[in-house]
Amino acid sequence: MGKHGSHCHSSPAQAAWGPEEGGGTGHSGTKLGYSVTDVPPWYLCILLGIQHFLTAMGGLVAVPLMLSEGLCLQHDLLTQSHLISTIIFVSGICTLLQVLFGVRLPIIQGGTLTFLTPTLAMLSLPNWKCPAWTNNATLVNTSSPEFIQVWQTRMREVQGTIIVTSCFQIFVGFSGLLGFLMRFIGPLTIAPTITLVALPLFESAGNMAGQHWGIAFLTIFFIVLFSQYLKNVAVPLPSYERGKKCHFLPIYLFQIFPVLLGLSLSWLLCYVLTVTSVLPEAPSAYGHLARTDSRGDVLSQAPWFRLPYPGQWGTPTVSLAGVFGILAGVISSMLESVGDYYACARLCGAPPPPKHAISRGIGMEGIGCLLAGAWGTGSGTTSYSENVGALGITKVGSRMVIIAAACAMLLSGIFGKVGAMLASIPIPVIGGMFLVMFGVIVAVGISNLQYTDMNSSRNIFIFGFSLFAGLTIPNWASKNSALLETGIIQLDQVILVLLTTGMFVGGLLGFILDNTIPGTQEERGLLAWKQSHKGGTESSQLISKVYDLPFGVGTRYCNVSWFRYLPACPRRLSCDKRMDEMKVAGQKINAKASLERNSEIGDDTRI
């Protein structure tokens, strides 16, 4: 791991932006400019923090835009901009809590798509379907009390459901129950669950992109070009350092901002085609929604400053049906976050997270979901995988950078024009972005099968059947809801939401079949799965430095007799054990140095 001072002879900017630069070394062999406990210069913290915020922007904007149709808000862009500002603001709060008191790794928190599928299933129930007049833009008066009542009652229902289910996540996290659950949940449960997060959204993404396939495919082309073909191309940009003064520094812009650059270029093209009247002005004409003025003058209507606050849409309400549906999203989100913690630790030069840090991280995500429900974002919060990947690109693993990113999110959430600008993105541009994003999520879900033996007919059957049933059963249930009625309204709602949530159906079938059909641990992928999440042999001092609670909280309170037994409290070793550990670590370092010297001698004397 790169320690303090190990990078003193490297350029901070090079460490941040060059793909092979830096002084420290992570656990994956990656050279780091700054490790997790290091503090880069203030200007670098600000620049890299803004970059992390921009990297998360696609996911932050996607949730409220996808949810707007279920909330009857597809023609109310001003409220959409308020939702975007709210989710950005709350994500900043949750990121600060996670970095300071949660898992304590440099990881961004934001709105999660795993809550989106069950939420849309809940909003598709007969009593929550949008009135027909809300689908006609000419009939919608966004300032009328009737319309406000329509969307706010739905939002309050979503809020209450998220608040209740977040309590389950808080309990699982801080009680240490996650370790028990992980014994029964393996790749064959997680693969269909995550895959079915995005697969059911193909219709929505297709409808958006279909408003103008040319613009949508151009957006896809730019994102793929930047993220895949040009990711290793450095762009020389002017830089200034005291020693070198003005000079050009190679920055991998395409690798860092593929989505942002793709959206910006497509958006700019839409503006040019709008100004030149190439795109049709008639609202009923094909391609009209690709115009930059088709979504109204939301930018001029939005206030410069607006502070989101809890209960801004009214007092939350709760239904049993929504709670059971979103629980599937909560479980999926927790499992995905555990994987993100280990990946983040490898990339930022930290030891693998101990159990108490994982417990705190999951518990803090539950508190984040509670806050998201109270503020009314329409979604819970989770760890962002794309920002974990950005750590590997920048080679800066400092958590101070993520604190700077959280501050940027808080400021942007208060600045109302930012949300309004993002809400005015043309529909086909959003559709093109969704095609790429949802495709990646599907691939991430399927990639969990790498741990299993896919030459086994057992595993092929479990995954194939779970995935196909997760598509077929919800499709049938949504079209034949009358056949599922029992006469008890609350029970009918629970059954309908669960059976129309593909990730619940597929994940449940995968869980039951994987734990009942005979198979070895190796065949099921559990051995490789545990090995990939296995901690190293780092010293307790190093683990304590990274994962202990800040401001002396861990030292002050976790040593109290009964506090030590809490799963979220760091464990302390006795003096004898600590001395033994230091001796073992010293022997390993000496053995490694001797091995390296022998290797060098062998290289020098090779004929």
Side-chain angles (χ1 to χ4, degrees):
M1 169 179 169
K3 295 179 172 59
H4 269 301
S6 64
H7 53 275
C8 60
H9 298 294
S10 65
S11 162
Q14 286 176 335
W17 302 107
E20 300 298 337
E21 306 293 336
T25 305
H27 288 261
S28 59
T30 305
K31 291 185 178 180
L32 293 170
Y34 297 94
S35 65
V36 63
T37 55
D38 293 337
V39 181
W42 64 270
Y43 59 87
L44 200 58
C45 284
I46 293 174
L47 288 174
L48 290 173
I50 293 173
Q51 170 195 279
H52 272 285
F53 169 43
L54 294 176
T55 304
M57 187 65 74
L60 292 172
V61 173
V63 173
L65 292 181
M66 287 293 295
L67 200 59
S68 60
E69 189 173 351
L71 294 172
C72 318
L73 288 172
Q74 62 268 42
H75 300 301
D76 186 358
L77 299 185
L78 185 60
T79 302
Q80 287 184 33
S81 74
H82 293 337
L83 288 178
I84 292 172
S85 296
T86 300
I87 199 170
I88 291 174
F89 182 80
V90 174
S91 296
I93 296 175
C94 297
T95 300
L96 279 177
L97 290 175
Q98 187 66 272
V99 174
L100 292 176
F101 303 105
V103 73
R104 305 220 65 211
L105 288 171
I107 195 164
I108 291 280
Q109 303 291 294
T112 171
L113 289 172
T114 57
F115 281 40
L116 188 60
T117 304
T119 301
L120 291 176
M122 182 183 75
L123 293 174
S124 66
L125 290 172
N127 56 321
W128 291 120
K129 279 188 177 179
C130 293
W133 60 269
T134 61
N135 297 320
N136 190 337
T138 59
L139 299 177
V140 173
N141 179 7
T142 57
S143 59
S144 68
E146 183 184 6
F147 177 75
I148 293 173
Q149 178 69 11
V150 165
W151 76 261
Q152 285 193 355
T153 52
R154 286 157 177 77
M155 173 57 83
R156 290 195 291 266
E157 187 75 11
V158 174
Q159 284 182 256
T161 303
I162 292 172
I163 290 173
V164 172
T165 51
S166 68
C167 296
F168 171 76
Q169 187 168 0
I170 293 171
F171 171 74
V172 169
F174 289 118
S175 67
L177 186 62
L178 186 66
F180 174 76
L181 294 176
M182 290 294 285
R183 299 178 188 176
F184 306 100
I185 298 174
L188 287 169
T189 301
I190 294 173
T193 303
I194 295 179
T195 302
L196 287 165
V197 167
L199 273 183
L201 301 174
F202 74 92
E203 189 173 356
S204 298
N207 289 338
M208 287 183 168
Q211 299 298 328
H212 195 297
W213 279 109
I215 297 296
F217 276 126
L218 189 67
T219 306
I220 295 169
F221 169 77
F222 282 137
I223 295 175
V224 173
L225 177 69
F226 297 147
S227 66
Q228 304 301 322
Y229 293 101
L230 300 180
K231 61 182 178 181
N232 295 321
V233 176
V235 179
L237 293 181
S239 179
Y240 177 82
E241 293 175 45
R242 285 182 181 175
K244 299 181 180 180
K245 295 189 177 180
C246 288
H247 64 285
F248 285 91
L249 189 68
I251 298 177
Y252 291 79
L253 280 178
F254 302 124
Q255 193 177 35
I256 298 169
F257 302 122
V259 175
L260 187 67
L261 289 173
L263 284 179
S264 301
L265 287 176
S266 298
W267 200 353
L268 180 62
L269 178 65
C270 288
Y271 175 75
V272 172
L273 295 177
T274 301
V275 171
T276 56
S277 297
V278 173
L279 294 170
E281 296 182 11
S284 59
Y286 177 78
H288 171 75
L289 291 178
R291 292 178 63 92
T292 52
D293 59 0
S294 66
R295 309 198 74 189
D297 54 349
V298 62
L299 198 59
S300 61
Q301 294 177 7
W304 281 99
F305 297 100
R306 180 184 178 275
L307 181 64
Y309 57 91
Q312 57 187 333
W313 317 127
T315 305
T317 58
V318 185
S319 71
L320 195 62
V323 169
F324 279 99
I326 291 184
L327 271 179
V330 168
I331 294 170
S332 175
S333 175
M334 287 191 295
L335 297 175
E336 191 178 358
S337 292
V338 171
D340 287 337
Y341 296 160
Y342 283 98
C344 184
R346 286 197 299 270
L347 289 172
C348 70
K355 289 181 180 180
H356 66 81
I358 293 175
S359 295
R360 284 202 315 270
I362 296 299
M364 201 57 68
E365 285 193 18
I367 292 175
C369 290
L370 182 68
L371 296 177
W375 257 265
T377 65
S379 173
T381 59
T382 190
S383 300
Y384 267 22
S385 303
E386 53 264 47
N387 289 88
V388 174
L391 295 174
I393 296 169
T394 62
K395 306 297 183 286
V396 175
S398 172
R399 55 185 165 219
M400 284 302 297
V401 169
I402 304 301
I403 291 174
C407 294
M409 294 162 81
L410 288 172
L411 290 174
S412 299
I414 297 172
F415 194 58
K417 297 292 184 184
V418 173
M421 183 179 67
L422 295 171
S424 63
I425 300 173
I427 292 291
V429 176
I430 299 171
M433 178 188 72
F434 284 169
L435 283 176
V436 176
M437 286 179 59
F438 296 159
V440 171
I441 293 172
V442 170
V444 167
I446 295 174
S447 70
N448 286 278
L449 297 176
Q450 65 184 298
Y451 301 106
T452 66
D453 178 11
M454 289 312 290
N455 288 321
S456 165
S457 59
R458 170 195 183 274
N459 294 347
I460 290 174
F461 164 73
I462 292 174
F463 177 72
F465 176 71
S466 301
L467 185 65
F468 197 71
L471 292 171
T472 306
I473 294 175
N475 180 62
W476 179 88
S478 62
K479 294 178 180 178
N480 299 275
S481 57
L483 299 176
L484 299 172
E485 292 179 358
T486 62
I488 305 173
I489 296 176
Q490 292 79 5
L491 181 60
D492 292 344
Q493 291 178 346
V494 170
I495 293 172
L496 190 58
V497 168
L498 293 180
L499 291 183
T500 53
T501 304
M503 58 186 293
F504 171 80
V505 175
L508 181 65
L509 288 173
F511 174 80
I512 293 172
L513 294 174
D514 189 35
N515 284 281
T516 55
I517 298 177
T520 64
Q521 294 274 308
E522 184 177 7
E523 184 183 15
R524 296 173 61 189
L526 295 179
L527 289 180
W529 177 263
K530 290 174 183 176
Q531 189 65 32
S532 69
H533 289 175
K534 188 177 180 181
T537 56
E538 288 78 5
S539 68
S540 62
Q541 290 91 339
L542 184 57
I543 293 174
S544 175
K545 184 180 179 182
V546 175
Y547 295 108
D548 271 13
L549 291 166
F551 315 124
V553 174
T555 307
R556 193 175 306 158
Y557 296 107
C558 287
N559 285 333
V560 178
S561 57
W562 64 274
F563 262 79
R564 288 179 298 173
Y565 298 102
L566 295 178
C569 269
R571 299 288 185 269
R572 300 290 176 189
L573 294 178
S574 64
C575 291
D576 292 338
K577 287 185 178 179
R578 196 171 298 167
M579 291 297 295
D580 292 341
E581 188 186 68
M582 290 175 67
K583 288 179 182 178
V584 172
Q587 291 172 358
K588 288 185 178 180
I589 291 172
N590 292 335
K592 184 179 180 181
S594 176
L595 191 64
E596 289 176 352
R597 283 196 300 271
N598 293 337
S599 176
E600 290 172 2
I601 293 171
D603 290 339
D604 292 339
T605 58
R606 188 177 297 135
I607 298 175

